[in-house]
Structure formats: C-alpha cells, structure tokens
C-alpha cells in the first residue's frame, strides 16, 4: 500500500551530457501529471506520461526534466568569421567617414557581439529518450519506495483505529439487550405515575414493547459494520492501489453508524456510536492520502 506523497530523482550521464529527472507527488483524487520539459524534448511528453501512468494510478505528479553539459563534455567556442569580417569592414568604413584616428585590432573585433559564442546545443529527442527513460525509471523507483514507506505508517494508524471501532461495537452489542428491558421498565413506571395501572401481560403493553424492540434492533447494522471493517482490513493488506476502494467502504460504514445511532435509543450506545464516528472521520482523512 502506498501514500500519495513522495519525491524521487534519477540522473544519468551519457556522452558528456547529464540528464536528470525529478518527481514529486501530492494528494489528488484522480491522476494528474504536470510535465516540465526543455523545448528540445517537448515531443517526449506523451512517453513520459505513459511511463508514469503505468506505475502511479492516483495523485498529482510533477515532473521536471533537465540536461546540461557534463564535466567531460566541454564545448569549444564558435567563431563567426563572416560576422567578424562584416564588423571589420563596417569599422574601417566608419573610421574613414569620420576621419577618426586609432587602430582596429583583432581584440576589438572579437569583443563585438556574436563574433565569439558558445555553439548552440541541439538535442535529438528520439536519440536521447532511452537515457531519459532510465533516469525517469530511477526517479520512479525512488518515488515509489518513499510512497510505500509512508503507506506502511498510514496502515499502522488505520489498523489501530479499526481496533478502537471494533472495541466500541463489542460494547454496543453487550449493551443492546438491556435497551428493551429499560424501555419496558420506564413505560410501566410512566403508566403507574399517570394512574393507569396495567397488567404486565396486557396485550397492548406486549405489542408496544415488541414494536419498540423491533425498531431498536441494531443487530443487522452491527453485523454490516463488522463486515465492512473486515473488508477494510483485507484491502489494507493488498499490494495494489486501494485508496478509492477504502473511501467507498468508509462511506458505507458511516451510513450504517448513522442508522445505528438513530435506532439505538440509549445514551450509552449513542456515546459509543459518536466515538466510532470520531475514529472513522480520522480514518476517512487518512484514506484520502492513499493511492
């Protein structure tokens, strides 16, 4: 299991050139890839996106690709002879027109803009793609390793919260049988205080208590919540993207807890339902960090 937060870097030297790829990812419900490429490598963007999509299914991934001349690949200065000759002729013509004294030296000409320059660095994207791909895959391996490490920490926290919810559910199961007994005693007490004595086996009383017991029965909700928790724990152990699945299961647990809280009709049960929801809300926040 992986989180959606991480960083990776890959760097490859080839023929005096150094190519580097940096990746960083943050939370995002869908896959979102932002690629920053030098102009000469712009045509490689689809390949880079495809490679990332094959390895990462969720989150915003920022990609930065760069290249520069390595220490062993120093470039020689280029001399524009034609431009130098043009400068020289223009200088002589100006000197003659102005009748200005002075010597036109080679140093003067070499200082003119554009005469001496670094050669333009043209990169063939198709030729360098294998090198960039190696750097990209190295960065991906680094990124995935970091995401997996973070994912393990999140899984431990989620398991601890699942145990807390199971503990509250166990307490609710223990409290539930007394709910009908308490209601029956409270109903009899109200009737007596109202001056309406009634036999314990009165059909109307039995029917009212049976109706209440049916409305307050939360055994099905408890069973479904426990089943959802088991599914949640099962998916946590999978070595594949599970974030969306866990989000759905979390929503289903919330739905069952809402029903359970509405049917509980007992302060002690309601307190434990609230505690379950508090833990589940923290789980929901953490699940949004998972791939």
């Amino acid at each position: 299991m992986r989180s959606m937060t991480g960083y990776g870097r890959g760097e490859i030297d080839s023929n005096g050139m150094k190519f580097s790829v940096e990746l960083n990812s943050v939370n995002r419900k869908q896959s979102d890839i932002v690629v920053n490429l030098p102009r000469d490598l712009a045509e490689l963007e689809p390949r880079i996106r495809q490679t990332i999509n094959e390895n990462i299914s969720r989150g915003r991934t920022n990609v930065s690709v760069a290249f520069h001349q390595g220490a062993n690949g120093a470039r020689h200065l280029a001399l524009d002879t034609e431009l130098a000759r043009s400068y020289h002729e223009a200088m002589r013509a100006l000197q003659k027109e102005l009748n200005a004294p002075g010597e036109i030296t080679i140093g003067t000409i070499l200082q003119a803009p554009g005469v001496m320059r670094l050669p333009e660095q043209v990169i063939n994207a198709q030729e360098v793609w294998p090198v960039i791909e190696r750097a990209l895959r190295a960065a991906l391996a680094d990124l995935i390793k970091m995401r997996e490490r973070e994912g393990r920490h999140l899984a431990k926290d989620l398991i601890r919260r699942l145990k807390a919810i199971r503990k509250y559910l166990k307490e609710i199961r223990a409290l539930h049988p007394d709910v009908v007994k308490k209601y029956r005693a409270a109903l009899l007490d109200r009737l007596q205080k109202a001056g309406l004595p009634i036999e314990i086996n009165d059909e109307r009383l039995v029917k009212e208590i049976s109706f209440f017991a049916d409305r307050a029965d939360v055994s099905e909700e408890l069973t479904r919540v426990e089943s959802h928790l088991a599914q949640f724990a099962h998916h946590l152990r999978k070595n594949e993207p599970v974030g969306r699945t866990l989000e759905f299961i979390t929503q289903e647990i919330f739905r069952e807890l809402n029903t359970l809280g509405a049917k509980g009709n007992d302060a002690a049960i309601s307190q434990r339902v609230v505690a379950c929801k508090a833990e589940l809300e923290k789980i929901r926040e953490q699940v949004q960090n998972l791939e």
Side-chain angles (χ1 to χ4, degrees):
M1 188 177 70
R2 306 173 188 167
S3 75
M4 285 191 285
T5 304
Y7 172 83
R9 176 179 172 83
E11 191 172 87
I12 302 293
D13 289 327
S14 176
N15 296 326
M17 297 288 293
K18 181 175 289 186
F19 296 87
S20 64
V21 177
E22 290 189 4
L23 304 175
N24 68 78
S25 62
V26 293
N27 299 348
R28 185 64 60 89
K29 283 194 173 184
Q30 306 298 327
S31 176
D32 181 20
I33 302 172
V34 179
V35 183
N36 182 16
L37 282 167
R39 183 178 59 186
D40 291 346
L41 304 179
E43 65 185 87
L44 298 180
E45 182 171 341
R47 294 188 183 185
I48 291 172
R49 287 181 175 277
Q50 180 181 347
T51 303
I52 293 173
N53 279 324
E54 290 171 355
N55 292 272
I56 295 175
S57 64
R58 198 179 186 206
R60 177 187 176 94
T61 305
N62 297 302
V63 188
S64 178
V65 179
F67 65 88
H68 62 273
Q69 196 79 32
N72 297 326
R75 291 174 290 163
H76 298 289
L77 289 174
L79 173 63
D80 192 331
T81 306
E82 291 300 321
L83 183 61
R85 183 177 289 108
S86 296
Y87 274 122
H88 185 238
E89 291 175 355
M91 290 177 184
R92 290 182 61 184
L94 182 62
Q95 187 179 44
K96 183 177 181 181
E97 182 177 340
L98 298 179
N99 194 25
E103 184 180 3
I104 301 174
T105 67
I106 186 66
T108 304
I109 298 173
L110 290 176
Q111 290 176 5
V115 174
M116 296 291 290
R117 68 183 189 281
L118 288 172
E120 291 185 6
Q121 193 174 22
V122 179
I123 300 295
N124 185 307
Q126 298 301 322
E127 291 180 359
V128 301
W129 164 243
V131 180
I132 292 176
E133 184 181 18
R134 285 169 55 200
L136 175 59
R137 293 194 180 279
L140 275 169
D142 206 17
L143 173 69
I144 290 171
K145 186 182 297 183
M146 184 174 180
R147 285 165 65 120
E148 288 176 343
R149 186 165 56 247
E150 179 67 17
R152 287 193 292 270
H153 289 301
L154 292 176
K156 289 180 181 179
D157 181 70
L158 292 171
I159 290 171
R160 180 174 60 83
R161 298 191 186 283
L162 290 178
K163 288 180 179 178
I165 292 176
R166 287 195 178 100
K167 173 178 173 292
Y168 292 129
L169 294 178
K170 185 177 180 181
E171 293 174 359
I172 291 172
R173 277 197 181 276
L175 290 167
H176 180 252
D178 291 331
V179 172
V180 176
K181 295 178 183 178
K182 291 180 181 179
Y183 177 78
R184 180 175 178 275
L187 181 58
L188 287 171
D189 184 58
R190 289 199 301 271
L191 290 172
Q192 289 176 1
K193 288 181 179 179
L196 299 171
I198 189 171
E199 293 292 331
I200 294 178
N201 295 325
D202 187 284
E203 183 180 349
R204 293 168 297 174
L205 180 62
V206 173
K207 186 178 292 185
E208 172 62 26
I209 294 173
S210 297
F211 181 67
F212 173 82
D214 184 61
R215 285 189 295 113
D217 185 11
V218 295
S219 57
E220 290 185 8
E221 286 74 20
L222 286 170
T223 299
R224 284 195 290 267
V225 171
E226 289 166 350
S227 174
H228 292 327
L229 293 176
Q231 291 180 46
F232 194 104
H234 172 70
H235 285 289
L236 272 182
R237 293 190 291 270
K238 289 185 176 180
N239 188 26
E240 60 185 52
V242 294
R244 292 189 182 92
T245 301
L246 295 182
E247 279 188 14
F248 173 76
I249 295 174
T250 302
Q251 291 173 2
E252 292 301 304
I253 297 174
F254 263 120
R255 185 176 293 111
E256 296 298 340
L257 288 177
N258 285 334
T259 305
L260 197 156
K263 292 174 65 176
N265 285 289
D266 182 79
I269 288 178
S270 295
Q271 289 174 0
R272 285 157 178 79
V273 171
V274 170
C276 285
K277 287 183 176 180
E279 291 292 344
L280 193 61
E281 177 61 28
K282 294 171 184 175
I283 288 175
R284 186 188 66 81
E285 292 174 358
Q286 292 286 48
V287 164
Q288 292 178 352
N289 296 321
L290 294 177
E291 183 181 3

